[in-house]
Amino acid sequence: MNSFISALGNLLKKPVTVKYPFEQTYKPDDYRGLIGFEESLCIWCRRCEAACPPGAIVFSQDMEGKQTYHYNRAVCIYCHECVRSCPKEGAIFQTAEPAPCALKAENINNGWNKLFDEAIESRELYAAEKKRKTAEKAAADKAAAAAKKAAEDKAGETPQ
Ligand code: SF4
Ligand code: SF4
């Protein structure tokens, strides 16, 4: 009998569930939402990328050395580690904005894996090119120094 009364009581109560996403659920003050990035404050140290457990951040680099930040909200686990590891306050930050659903059309997982690999490769290419240019410059400087020394030695020779 008690259960019957309890069941009847529940029928008259407001549902405890909400019609998400049409109705928003409770959000605490320290809710961890999407990660934001402020390019003007970034010093491009990539500590956020290194600290990110699932690999939701990656930086690509062009042949002039300019880096570009990439973030995948569907890979992010909202752990705050990137923000904690950043030496420049405000360069990367946690917003209170919930992540929108990932759409199939975005090809978010396979597309991200490809972008991630290409970003790492772009940095390797830049590093290799920088190394090549440094070696080339060192060789040119060495040749110029040898030529200068030869010229000085010749100028210093006493006539017979
Ligand atoms: S919140 Fe965590 S998972 Fe998300 S980007 Fe930052 S470090 Fe990576
Ligand atoms: S850790 Fe901060 S400063 Fe360094 S690359 Fe990431 S956002 Fe930029």
Side-chain angles (χ1 to χ4, degrees), residues 32-33 35 48 51-57 69 71-72 75-83 92 94:
R32 292 179 187 162
I35 292 297
C48 51
C52 179
I57 291 174
Y69 164 87
Y71 165 65
N72 187 324
V75 175
C76 181
I77 55 171
Y78 303 92
C79 63
H80 199 74
E81 282 306 310
C82 49
V83 181
I92 196 161
Q94 193 117 34

mmCIF file with all atom_site columns, all heavy atoms in Angstrom, residues 32-33 35 48 51-57 69 71-72 75-83 92 94, ligand 1:
data_model
loop_
_atom_site.group_PDB
_atom_site.id
_atom_site.type_symbol
_atom_site.label_atom_id
_atom_site.label_alt_id
_atom_site.label_comp_id
_atom_site.label_asym_id
_atom_site.label_entity_id
_atom_site.label_seq_id
_atom_site.pdbx_PDB_ins_code
_atom_site.Cartn_x
_atom_site.Cartn_y
_atom_site.Cartn_z
_atom_site.occupancy
_atom_site.B_iso_or_equiv
_atom_site.pdbx_formal_charge
_atom_site.auth_seq_id
_atom_site.auth_comp_id
_atom_site.auth_asym_id
_atom_site.auth_atom_id
_atom_site.pdbx_PDB_model_num
ATOM   1   N  N   . ARG A 1 32 ? 33.982 23.652 -16.373 1.00 0.00 ? 32 ARG A N   1
ATOM   2   C  CA  . ARG A 1 32 ? 35.053 23.702 -17.377 1.00 0.00 ? 32 ARG A CA  1
ATOM   3   C  C   . ARG A 1 32 ? 34.470 23.492 -18.772 1.00 0.00 ? 32 ARG A C   1
ATOM   4   O  O   . ARG A 1 32 ? 34.102 22.376 -19.115 1.00 0.00 ? 32 ARG A O   1
ATOM   5   C  CB  . ARG A 1 32 ? 36.089 22.625 -17.095 1.00 0.00 ? 32 ARG A CB  1
ATOM   6   C  CG  . ARG A 1 32 ? 36.888 22.872 -15.834 1.00 0.00 ? 32 ARG A CG  1
ATOM   7   C  CD  . ARG A 1 32 ? 37.843 21.725 -15.666 1.00 0.00 ? 32 ARG A CD  1
ATOM   8   N  NE  . ARG A 1 32 ? 38.541 21.778 -14.409 1.00 0.00 ? 32 ARG A NE  1
ATOM   9   C  CZ  . ARG A 1 32 ? 39.164 20.742 -13.877 1.00 0.00 ? 32 ARG A CZ  1
ATOM   10  N  NH1 . ARG A 1 32 ? 39.160 19.584 -14.492 1.00 0.00 ? 32 ARG A NH1 1
ATOM   11  N  NH2 . ARG A 1 32 ? 39.784 20.853 -12.735 1.00 0.00 ? 32 ARG A NH2 1
ATOM   12  N  N   . GLY A 1 33 ? 34.440 24.556 -19.529 1.00 0.00 ? 33 GLY A N   1
ATOM   13  C  CA  . GLY A 1 33 ? 33.894 24.472 -20.881 1.00 0.00 ? 33 GLY A CA  1
ATOM   14  C  C   . GLY A 1 33 ? 35.005 24.493 -21.921 1.00 0.00 ? 33 GLY A C   1
ATOM   15  O  O   . GLY A 1 33 ? 36.146 24.107 -21.641 1.00 0.00 ? 33 GLY A O   1
ATOM   16  N  N   . ILE A 1 35 ? 37.979 25.377 -24.461 1.00 0.00 ? 35 ILE A N   1
ATOM   17  C  CA  . ILE A 1 35 ? 39.254 26.056 -24.276 1.00 0.00 ? 35 ILE A CA  1
ATOM   18  C  C   . ILE A 1 35 ? 39.341 27.215 -25.274 1.00 0.00 ? 35 ILE A C   1
ATOM   19  O  O   . ILE A 1 35 ? 39.018 27.054 -26.449 1.00 0.00 ? 35 ILE A O   1
ATOM   20  C  CB  . ILE A 1 35 ? 40.414 25.057 -24.499 1.00 0.00 ? 35 ILE A CB  1
ATOM   21  C  CG1 . ILE A 1 35 ? 40.445 24.016 -23.382 1.00 0.00 ? 35 ILE A CG1 1
ATOM   22  C  CG2 . ILE A 1 35 ? 41.762 25.756 -24.628 1.00 0.00 ? 35 ILE A CG2 1
ATOM   23  C  CD1 . ILE A 1 35 ? 40.718 24.577 -21.996 1.00 0.00 ? 35 ILE A CD1 1
ATOM   24  N  N   . CYS A 1 48 ? 51.412 23.953 -23.593 1.00 0.00 ? 48 CYS A N   1
ATOM   25  C  CA  . CYS A 1 48 ? 50.019 23.483 -23.511 1.00 0.00 ? 48 CYS A CA  1
ATOM   26  C  C   . CYS A 1 48 ? 49.854 22.193 -24.316 1.00 0.00 ? 48 CYS A C   1
ATOM   27  O  O   . CYS A 1 48 ? 49.185 21.254 -23.869 1.00 0.00 ? 48 CYS A O   1
ATOM   28  C  CB  . CYS A 1 48 ? 49.063 24.558 -24.002 1.00 0.00 ? 48 CYS A CB  1
ATOM   29  S  SG  . CYS A 1 48 ? 49.487 25.238 -25.610 1.00 0.00 ? 48 CYS A SG  1
ATOM   30  N  N   . ALA A 1 51 ? 51.387 19.352 -22.418 1.00 0.00 ? 51 ALA A N   1
ATOM   31  C  CA  . ALA A 1 51 ? 50.681 18.995 -21.184 1.00 0.00 ? 51 ALA A CA  1
ATOM   32  C  C   . ALA A 1 51 ? 49.337 18.326 -21.448 1.00 0.00 ? 51 ALA A C   1
ATOM   33  O  O   . ALA A 1 51 ? 48.761 17.739 -20.532 1.00 0.00 ? 51 ALA A O   1
ATOM   34  C  CB  . ALA A 1 51 ? 50.453 20.251 -20.350 1.00 0.00 ? 51 ALA A CB  1
ATOM   35  N  N   . CYS A 1 52 ? 48.852 18.404 -22.662 1.00 0.00 ? 52 CYS A N   1
ATOM   36  C  CA  . CYS A 1 52 ? 47.494 17.915 -22.958 1.00 0.00 ? 52 CYS A CA  1
ATOM   37  C  C   . CYS A 1 52 ? 47.453 16.383 -23.027 1.00 0.00 ? 52 CYS A C   1
ATOM   38  O  O   . CYS A 1 52 ? 48.041 15.786 -23.931 1.00 0.00 ? 52 CYS A O   1
ATOM   39  C  CB  . CYS A 1 52 ? 47.026 18.522 -24.285 1.00 0.00 ? 52 CYS A CB  1
ATOM   40  S  SG  . CYS A 1 52 ? 45.382 17.979 -24.750 1.00 0.00 ? 52 CYS A SG  1
ATOM   41  N  N   . PRO A 1 53 ? 46.777 15.734 -22.091 1.00 0.00 ? 53 PRO A N   1
ATOM   42  C  CA  . PRO A 1 53 ? 46.810 14.254 -22.057 1.00 0.00 ? 53 PRO A CA  1
ATOM   43  C  C   . PRO A 1 53 ? 46.278 13.573 -23.335 1.00 0.00 ? 53 PRO A C   1
ATOM   44  O  O   . PRO A 1 53 ? 46.920 12.649 -23.831 1.00 0.00 ? 53 PRO A O   1
ATOM   45  C  CB  . PRO A 1 53 ? 45.973 13.889 -20.832 1.00 0.00 ? 53 PRO A CB  1
ATOM   46  C  CG  . PRO A 1 53 ? 45.952 15.122 -19.990 1.00 0.00 ? 53 PRO A CG  1
ATOM   47  C  CD  . PRO A 1 53 ? 46.022 16.276 -20.948 1.00 0.00 ? 53 PRO A CD  1
ATOM   48  N  N   . PRO A 1 54 ? 45.128 14.014 -23.886 1.00 0.00 ? 54 PRO A N   1
ATOM   49  C  CA  . PRO A 1 54 ? 44.634 13.265 -25.058 1.00 0.00 ? 54 PRO A CA  1
ATOM   50  C  C   . PRO A 1 54 ? 45.129 13.797 -26.406 1.00 0.00 ? 54 PRO A C   1
ATOM   51  O  O   . PRO A 1 54 ? 44.777 13.252 -27.441 1.00 0.00 ? 54 PRO A O   1
ATOM   52  C  CB  . PRO A 1 54 ? 43.121 13.432 -24.946 1.00 0.00 ? 54 PRO A CB  1
ATOM   53  C  CG  . PRO A 1 54 ? 42.952 14.773 -24.322 1.00 0.00 ? 54 PRO A CG  1
ATOM   54  C  CD  . PRO A 1 54 ? 44.146 15.016 -23.445 1.00 0.00 ? 54 PRO A CD  1
ATOM   55  N  N   . GLY A 1 55 ? 45.921 14.864 -26.416 1.00 0.00 ? 55 GLY A N   1
ATOM   56  C  CA  . GLY A 1 55 ? 46.383 15.414 -27.703 1.00 0.00 ? 55 GLY A CA  1
ATOM   57  C  C   . GLY A 1 55 ? 45.309 16.221 -28.399 1.00 0.00 ? 55 GLY A C   1
ATOM   58  O  O   . GLY A 1 55 ? 45.076 16.051 -29.595 1.00 0.00 ? 55 GLY A O   1
ATOM   59  N  N   . ALA A 1 56 ? 44.658 17.101 -27.650 1.00 0.00 ? 56 ALA A N   1
ATOM   60  C  CA  . ALA A 1 56 ? 43.593 17.922 -28.237 1.00 0.00 ? 56 ALA A CA  1
ATOM   61  C  C   . ALA A 1 56 ? 44.113 19.252 -28.758 1.00 0.00 ? 56 ALA A C   1
ATOM   62  O  O   . ALA A 1 56 ? 43.362 20.042 -29.311 1.00 0.00 ? 56 ALA A O   1
ATOM   63  C  CB  . ALA A 1 56 ? 42.499 18.171 -27.196 1.00 0.00 ? 56 ALA A CB  1
ATOM   64  N  N   . ILE A 1 57 ? 45.425 19.507 -28.533 1.00 0.00 ? 57 ILE A N   1
ATOM   65  C  CA  . ILE A 1 57 ? 46.040 20.759 -29.012 1.00 0.00 ? 57 ILE A CA  1
ATOM   66  C  C   . ILE A 1 57 ? 47.263 20.383 -29.835 1.00 0.00 ? 57 ILE A C   1
ATOM   67  O  O   . ILE A 1 57 ? 48.029 19.500 -29.436 1.00 0.00 ? 57 ILE A O   1
ATOM   68  C  CB  . ILE A 1 57 ? 46.492 21.630 -27.822 1.00 0.00 ? 57 ILE A CB  1
ATOM   69  C  CG1 . ILE A 1 57 ? 45.289 22.177 -27.064 1.00 0.00 ? 57 ILE A CG1 1
ATOM   70  C  CG2 . ILE A 1 57 ? 47.380 22.790 -28.275 1.00 0.00 ? 57 ILE A CG2 1
ATOM   71  C  CD1 . ILE A 1 57 ? 45.647 22.929 -25.806 1.00 0.00 ? 57 ILE A CD1 1
ATOM   72  N  N   . TYR A 1 69 ? 47.844 27.608 -33.969 1.00 0.00 ? 69 TYR A N   1
ATOM   73  C  CA  . TYR A 1 69 ? 47.230 26.798 -32.906 1.00 0.00 ? 69 TYR A CA  1
ATOM   74  C  C   . TYR A 1 69 ? 46.020 26.037 -33.458 1.00 0.00 ? 69 TYR A C   1
ATOM   75  O  O   . TYR A 1 69 ? 45.212 26.602 -34.192 1.00 0.00 ? 69 TYR A O   1
ATOM   76  C  CB  . TYR A 1 69 ? 46.807 27.765 -31.800 1.00 0.00 ? 69 TYR A CB  1
ATOM   77  C  CG  . TYR A 1 69 ? 45.826 27.262 -30.773 1.00 0.00 ? 69 TYR A CG  1
ATOM   78  C  CD1 . TYR A 1 69 ? 46.273 26.593 -29.639 1.00 0.00 ? 69 TYR A CD1 1
ATOM   79  C  CD2 . TYR A 1 69 ? 44.456 27.507 -30.910 1.00 0.00 ? 69 TYR A CD2 1
ATOM   80  C  CE1 . TYR A 1 69 ? 45.374 26.160 -28.668 1.00 0.00 ? 69 TYR A CE1 1
ATOM   81  C  CE2 . TYR A 1 69 ? 43.558 27.083 -29.938 1.00 0.00 ? 69 TYR A CE2 1
ATOM   82  C  CZ  . TYR A 1 69 ? 44.024 26.412 -28.823 1.00 0.00 ? 69 TYR A CZ  1
ATOM   83  O  OH  . TYR A 1 69 ? 43.133 25.993 -27.867 1.00 0.00 ? 69 TYR A OH  1
ATOM   84  N  N   . TYR A 1 71 ? 42.906 23.235 -32.077 1.00 0.00 ? 71 TYR A N   1
ATOM   85  C  CA  . TYR A 1 71 ? 42.273 22.646 -30.886 1.00 0.00 ? 71 TYR A CA  1
ATOM   86  C  C   . TYR A 1 71 ? 41.077 21.804 -31.334 1.00 0.00 ? 71 TYR A C   1
ATOM   87  O  O   . TYR A 1 71 ? 40.331 22.223 -32.216 1.00 0.00 ? 71 TYR A O   1
ATOM   88  C  CB  . TYR A 1 71 ? 41.819 23.779 -29.960 1.00 0.00 ? 71 TYR A CB  1
ATOM   89  C  CG  . TYR A 1 71 ? 40.852 23.390 -28.879 1.00 0.00 ? 71 TYR A CG  1
ATOM   90  C  CD1 . TYR A 1 71 ? 41.232 22.506 -27.861 1.00 0.00 ? 71 TYR A CD1 1
ATOM   91  C  CD2 . TYR A 1 71 ? 39.550 23.912 -28.845 1.00 0.00 ? 71 TYR A CD2 1
ATOM   92  C  CE1 . TYR A 1 71 ? 40.345 22.167 -26.844 1.00 0.00 ? 71 TYR A CE1 1
ATOM   93  C  CE2 . TYR A 1 71 ? 38.673 23.575 -27.831 1.00 0.00 ? 71 TYR A CE2 1
ATOM   94  C  CZ  . TYR A 1 71 ? 39.071 22.712 -26.834 1.00 0.00 ? 71 TYR A CZ  1
ATOM   95  O  OH  . TYR A 1 71 ? 38.197 22.369 -25.832 1.00 0.00 ? 71 TYR A OH  1
ATOM   96  N  N   . ASN A 1 72 ? 40.922 20.646 -30.718 1.00 0.00 ? 72 ASN A N   1
ATOM   97  C  CA  . ASN A 1 72 ? 39.793 19.789 -31.063 1.00 0.00 ? 72 ASN A CA  1
ATOM   98  C  C   . ASN A 1 72 ? 38.915 19.579 -29.826 1.00 0.00 ? 72 ASN A C   1
ATOM   99  O  O   . ASN A 1 72 ? 39.308 18.914 -28.879 1.00 0.00 ? 72 ASN A O   1
ATOM   100 C  CB  . ASN A 1 72 ? 40.303 18.436 -31.566 1.00 0.00 ? 72 ASN A CB  1
ATOM   101 C  CG  . ASN A 1 72 ? 39.181 17.569 -32.095 1.00 0.00 ? 72 ASN A CG  1
ATOM   102 O  OD1 . ASN A 1 72 ? 38.078 17.586 -31.567 1.00 0.00 ? 72 ASN A OD1 1
ATOM   103 N  ND2 . ASN A 1 72 ? 39.467 16.813 -33.129 1.00 0.00 ? 72 ASN A ND2 1
ATOM   104 N  N   . VAL A 1 75 ? 38.091 15.962 -28.768 1.00 0.00 ? 75 VAL A N   1
ATOM   105 C  CA  . VAL A 1 75 ? 39.169 15.155 -28.179 1.00 0.00 ? 75 VAL A CA  1
ATOM   106 C  C   . VAL A 1 75 ? 39.450 15.644 -26.750 1.00 0.00 ? 75 VAL A C   1
ATOM   107 O  O   . VAL A 1 75 ? 39.853 14.881 -25.874 1.00 0.00 ? 75 VAL A O   1
ATOM   108 C  CB  . VAL A 1 75 ? 40.443 15.240 -29.053 1.00 0.00 ? 75 VAL A CB  1
ATOM   109 C  CG1 . VAL A 1 75 ? 41.613 14.524 -28.421 1.00 0.00 ? 75 VAL A CG1 1
ATOM   110 C  CG2 . VAL A 1 75 ? 40.175 14.649 -30.440 1.00 0.00 ? 75 VAL A CG2 1
ATOM   111 N  N   . CYS A 1 76 ? 39.187 16.916 -26.501 1.00 0.00 ? 76 CYS A N   1
ATOM   112 C  CA  . CYS A 1 76 ? 39.438 17.551 -25.195 1.00 0.00 ? 76 CYS A CA  1
ATOM   113 C  C   . CYS A 1 76 ? 38.661 16.840 -24.080 1.00 0.00 ? 76 CYS A C   1
ATOM   114 O  O   . CYS A 1 76 ? 37.511 16.455 -24.265 1.00 0.00 ? 76 CYS A O   1
ATOM   115 C  CB  . CYS A 1 76 ? 38.992 19.011 -25.291 1.00 0.00 ? 76 CYS A CB  1
ATOM   116 S  SG  . CYS A 1 76 ? 39.250 19.963 -23.794 1.00 0.00 ? 76 CYS A SG  1
ATOM   117 N  N   . ILE A 1 77 ? 39.336 16.656 -22.952 1.00 0.00 ? 77 ILE A N   1
ATOM   118 C  CA  . ILE A 1 77 ? 38.646 16.059 -21.796 1.00 0.00 ? 77 ILE A CA  1
ATOM   119 C  C   . ILE A 1 77 ? 38.417 17.110 -20.702 1.00 0.00 ? 77 ILE A C   1
ATOM   120 O  O   . ILE A 1 77 ? 38.092 16.796 -19.582 1.00 0.00 ? 77 ILE A O   1
ATOM   121 C  CB  . ILE A 1 77 ? 39.432 14.847 -21.226 1.00 0.00 ? 77 ILE A CB  1
ATOM   122 C  CG1 . ILE A 1 77 ? 40.880 15.237 -20.881 1.00 0.00 ? 77 ILE A CG1 1
ATOM   123 C  CG2 . ILE A 1 77 ? 39.397 13.671 -22.183 1.00 0.00 ? 77 ILE A CG2 1
ATOM   124 C  CD1 . ILE A 1 77 ? 41.657 14.173 -20.121 1.00 0.00 ? 77 ILE A CD1 1
ATOM   125 N  N   . TYR A 1 78 ? 38.666 18.375 -21.021 1.00 0.00 ? 78 TYR A N   1
ATOM   126 C  CA  . TYR A 1 78 ? 38.354 19.505 -20.138 1.00 0.00 ? 78 TYR A CA  1
ATOM   127 C  C   . TYR A 1 78 ? 39.032 19.390 -18.776 1.00 0.00 ? 78 TYR A C   1
ATOM   128 O  O   . TYR A 1 78 ? 38.435 19.654 -17.738 1.00 0.00 ? 78 TYR A O   1
ATOM   129 C  CB  . TYR A 1 78 ? 36.820 19.672 -20.036 1.00 0.00 ? 78 TYR A CB  1
ATOM   130 C  CG  . TYR A 1 78 ? 36.256 19.855 -21.417 1.00 0.00 ? 78 TYR A CG  1
ATOM   131 C  CD1 . TYR A 1 78 ? 35.805 18.765 -22.164 1.00 0.00 ? 78 TYR A CD1 1
ATOM   132 C  CD2 . TYR A 1 78 ? 36.277 21.098 -22.027 1.00 0.00 ? 78 TYR A CD2 1
ATOM   133 C  CE1 . TYR A 1 78 ? 35.375 18.912 -23.471 1.00 0.00 ? 78 TYR A CE1 1
ATOM   134 C  CE2 . TYR A 1 78 ? 35.847 21.266 -23.330 1.00 0.00 ? 78 TYR A CE2 1
ATOM   135 C  CZ  . TYR A 1 78 ? 35.397 20.178 -24.046 1.00 0.00 ? 78 TYR A CZ  1
ATOM   136 O  OH  . TYR A 1 78 ? 34.980 20.341 -25.335 1.00 0.00 ? 78 TYR A OH  1
ATOM   137 N  N   . CYS A 1 79 ? 40.308 19.005 -18.813 1.00 0.00 ? 79 CYS A N   1
ATOM   138 C  CA  . CYS A 1 79 ? 41.052 18.754 -17.577 1.00 0.00 ? 79 CYS A CA  1
ATOM   139 C  C   . CYS A 1 79 ? 41.751 20.001 -17.051 1.00 0.00 ? 79 CYS A C   1
ATOM   140 O  O   . CYS A 1 79 ? 42.257 20.018 -15.942 1.00 0.00 ? 79 CYS A O   1
ATOM   141 C  CB  . CYS A 1 79 ? 42.081 17.653 -17.816 1.00 0.00 ? 79 CYS A CB  1
ATOM   142 S  SG  . CYS A 1 79 ? 43.328 18.118 -19.041 1.00 0.00 ? 79 CYS A SG  1
ATOM   143 N  N   . HIS A 1 80 ? 41.883 21.050 -17.889 1.00 0.00 ? 80 HIS A N   1
ATOM   144 C  CA  . HIS A 1 80 ? 42.486 22.332 -17.472 1.00 0.00 ? 80 HIS A CA  1
ATOM   145 C  C   . HIS A 1 80 ? 44.022 22.303 -17.469 1.00 0.00 ? 80 HIS A C   1
ATOM   146 O  O   . HIS A 1 80 ? 44.661 23.281 -17.118 1.00 0.00 ? 80 HIS A O   1
ATOM   147 C  CB  . HIS A 1 80 ? 41.959 22.696 -16.062 1.00 0.00 ? 80 HIS A CB  1
ATOM   148 C  CG  . HIS A 1 80 ? 42.115 24.146 -15.699 1.00 0.00 ? 80 HIS A CG  1
ATOM   149 N  ND1 . HIS A 1 80 ? 41.341 25.154 -16.221 1.00 0.00 ? 80 HIS A ND1 1
ATOM   150 C  CD2 . HIS A 1 80 ? 42.974 24.741 -14.843 1.00 0.00 ? 80 HIS A CD2 1
ATOM   151 C  CE1 . HIS A 1 80 ? 41.710 26.310 -15.697 1.00 0.00 ? 80 HIS A CE1 1
ATOM   152 N  NE2 . HIS A 1 80 ? 42.698 26.091 -14.857 1.00 0.00 ? 80 HIS A NE2 1
ATOM   153 N  N   . GLU A 1 81 ? 44.631 21.193 -17.845 1.00 0.00 ? 81 GLU A N   1
ATOM   154 C  CA  . GLU A 1 81 ? 46.098 21.075 -17.775 1.00 0.00 ? 81 GLU A CA  1
ATOM   155 C  C   . GLU A 1 81 ? 46.804 22.074 -18.697 1.00 0.00 ? 81 GLU A C   1
ATOM   156 O  O   . GLU A 1 81 ? 47.865 22.586 -18.369 1.00 0.00 ? 81 GLU A O   1
ATOM   157 C  CB  . GLU A 1 81 ? 46.547 19.648 -18.126 1.00 0.00 ? 81 GLU A CB  1
ATOM   158 C  CG  . GLU A 1 81 ? 46.364 18.647 -17.001 1.00 0.00 ? 81 GLU A CG  1
ATOM   159 C  CD  . GLU A 1 81 ? 47.022 19.077 -15.699 1.00 0.00 ? 81 GLU A CD  1
ATOM   160 O  OE1 . GLU A 1 81 ? 48.199 19.451 -15.714 1.00 0.00 ? 81 GLU A OE1 1
ATOM   161 O  OE2 . GLU A 1 81 ? 46.345 19.062 -14.668 1.00 0.00 ? 81 GLU A OE2 1
ATOM   162 N  N   . CYS A 1 82 ? 46.225 22.346 -19.863 1.00 0.00 ? 82 CYS A N   1
ATOM   163 C  CA  . CYS A 1 82 ? 46.850 23.295 -20.791 1.00 0.00 ? 82 CYS A CA  1
ATOM   164 C  C   . CYS A 1 82 ? 46.923 24.678 -20.154 1.00 0.00 ? 82 CYS A C   1
ATOM   165 O  O   . CYS A 1 82 ? 47.945 25.355 -20.245 1.00 0.00 ? 82 CYS A O   1
ATOM   166 C  CB  . CYS A 1 82 ? 46.073 23.342 -22.102 1.00 0.00 ? 82 CYS A CB  1
ATOM   167 S  SG  . CYS A 1 82 ? 44.297 23.556 -21.886 1.00 0.00 ? 82 CYS A SG  1
ATOM   168 N  N   . VAL A 1 83 ? 45.852 25.073 -19.475 1.00 0.00 ? 83 VAL A N   1
ATOM   169 C  CA  . VAL A 1 83 ? 45.802 26.395 -18.837 1.00 0.00 ? 83 VAL A CA  1
ATOM   170 C  C   . VAL A 1 83 ? 46.813 26.446 -17.697 1.00 0.00 ? 83 VAL A C   1
ATOM   171 O  O   . VAL A 1 83 ? 47.555 27.414 -17.549 1.00 0.00 ? 83 VAL A O   1
ATOM   172 C  CB  . VAL A 1 83 ? 44.373 26.690 -18.320 1.00 0.00 ? 83 VAL A CB  1
ATOM   173 C  CG1 . VAL A 1 83 ? 44.297 28.070 -17.680 1.00 0.00 ? 83 VAL A CG1 1
ATOM   174 C  CG2 . VAL A 1 83 ? 43.361 26.573 -19.447 1.00 0.00 ? 83 VAL A CG2 1
ATOM   175 N  N   . ILE A 1 92 ? 45.957 31.026 -23.045 1.00 0.00 ? 92 ILE A N   1
ATOM   176 C  CA  . ILE A 1 92 ? 45.012 29.913 -23.217 1.00 0.00 ? 92 ILE A CA  1
ATOM   177 C  C   . ILE A 1 92 ? 44.154 29.889 -21.955 1.00 0.00 ? 92 ILE A C   1
ATOM   178 O  O   . ILE A 1 92 ? 44.657 30.088 -20.857 1.00 0.00 ? 92 ILE A O   1
ATOM   179 C  CB  . ILE A 1 92 ? 45.767 28.590 -23.486 1.00 0.00 ? 92 ILE A CB  1
ATOM   180 C  CG1 . ILE A 1 92 ? 44.809 27.533 -24.042 1.00 0.00 ? 92 ILE A CG1 1
ATOM   181 C  CG2 . ILE A 1 92 ? 46.523 28.054 -22.288 1.00 0.00 ? 92 ILE A CG2 1
ATOM   182 C  CD1 . ILE A 1 92 ? 45.516 26.386 -24.750 1.00 0.00 ? 92 ILE A CD1 1
ATOM   183 N  N   . GLN A 1 94 ? 40.146 28.651 -20.005 1.00 0.00 ? 94 GLN A N   1
ATOM   184 C  CA  . GLN A 1 94 ? 38.965 27.781 -20.002 1.00 0.00 ? 94 GLN A CA  1
ATOM   185 C  C   . GLN A 1 94 ? 37.713 28.659 -19.967 1.00 0.00 ? 94 GLN A C   1
ATOM   186 O  O   . GLN A 1 94 ? 37.601 29.525 -19.094 1.00 0.00 ? 94 GLN A O   1
ATOM   187 C  CB  . GLN A 1 94 ? 39.006 26.895 -18.759 1.00 0.00 ? 94 GLN A CB  1
ATOM   188 C  CG  . GLN A 1 94 ? 38.034 25.751 -18.803 1.00 0.00 ? 94 GLN A CG  1
ATOM   189 C  CD  . GLN A 1 94 ? 38.742 24.415 -18.776 1.00 0.00 ? 94 GLN A CD  1
ATOM   190 O  OE1 . GLN A 1 94 ? 39.770 24.264 -18.155 1.00 0.00 ? 94 GLN A OE1 1
ATOM   191 N  NE2 . GLN A 1 94 ? 38.177 23.441 -19.441 1.00 0.00 ? 94 GLN A NE2 1
HETATM 192 S  S1  . SF4 B 2 .  ? 41.543 20.974 -21.121 1.00 0.00 ? 1  SF4 B S1  1
HETATM 193 FE FE1 . SF4 B 2 .  ? 42.890 19.151 -20.986 1.00 0.00 ? 1  SF4 B FE1 1
HETATM 194 S  S2  . SF4 B 2 .  ? 42.281 17.898 -22.720 1.00 0.00 ? 1  SF4 B S2  1
HETATM 195 FE FE2 . SF4 B 2 .  ? 41.423 19.930 -23.100 1.00 0.00 ? 1  SF4 B FE2 1
HETATM 196 S  S3  . SF4 B 2 .  ? 42.944 20.957 -24.374 1.00 0.00 ? 1  SF4 B S3  1
HETATM 197 FE FE3 . SF4 B 2 .  ? 43.413 21.469 -22.237 1.00 0.00 ? 1  SF4 B FE3 1
HETATM 198 S  S4  . SF4 B 2 .  ? 44.918 19.933 -21.580 1.00 0.00 ? 1  SF4 B S4  1
HETATM 199 FE FE4 . SF4 B 2 .  ? 43.950 19.172 -23.430 1.00 0.00 ? 1  SF4 B FE4 1
#
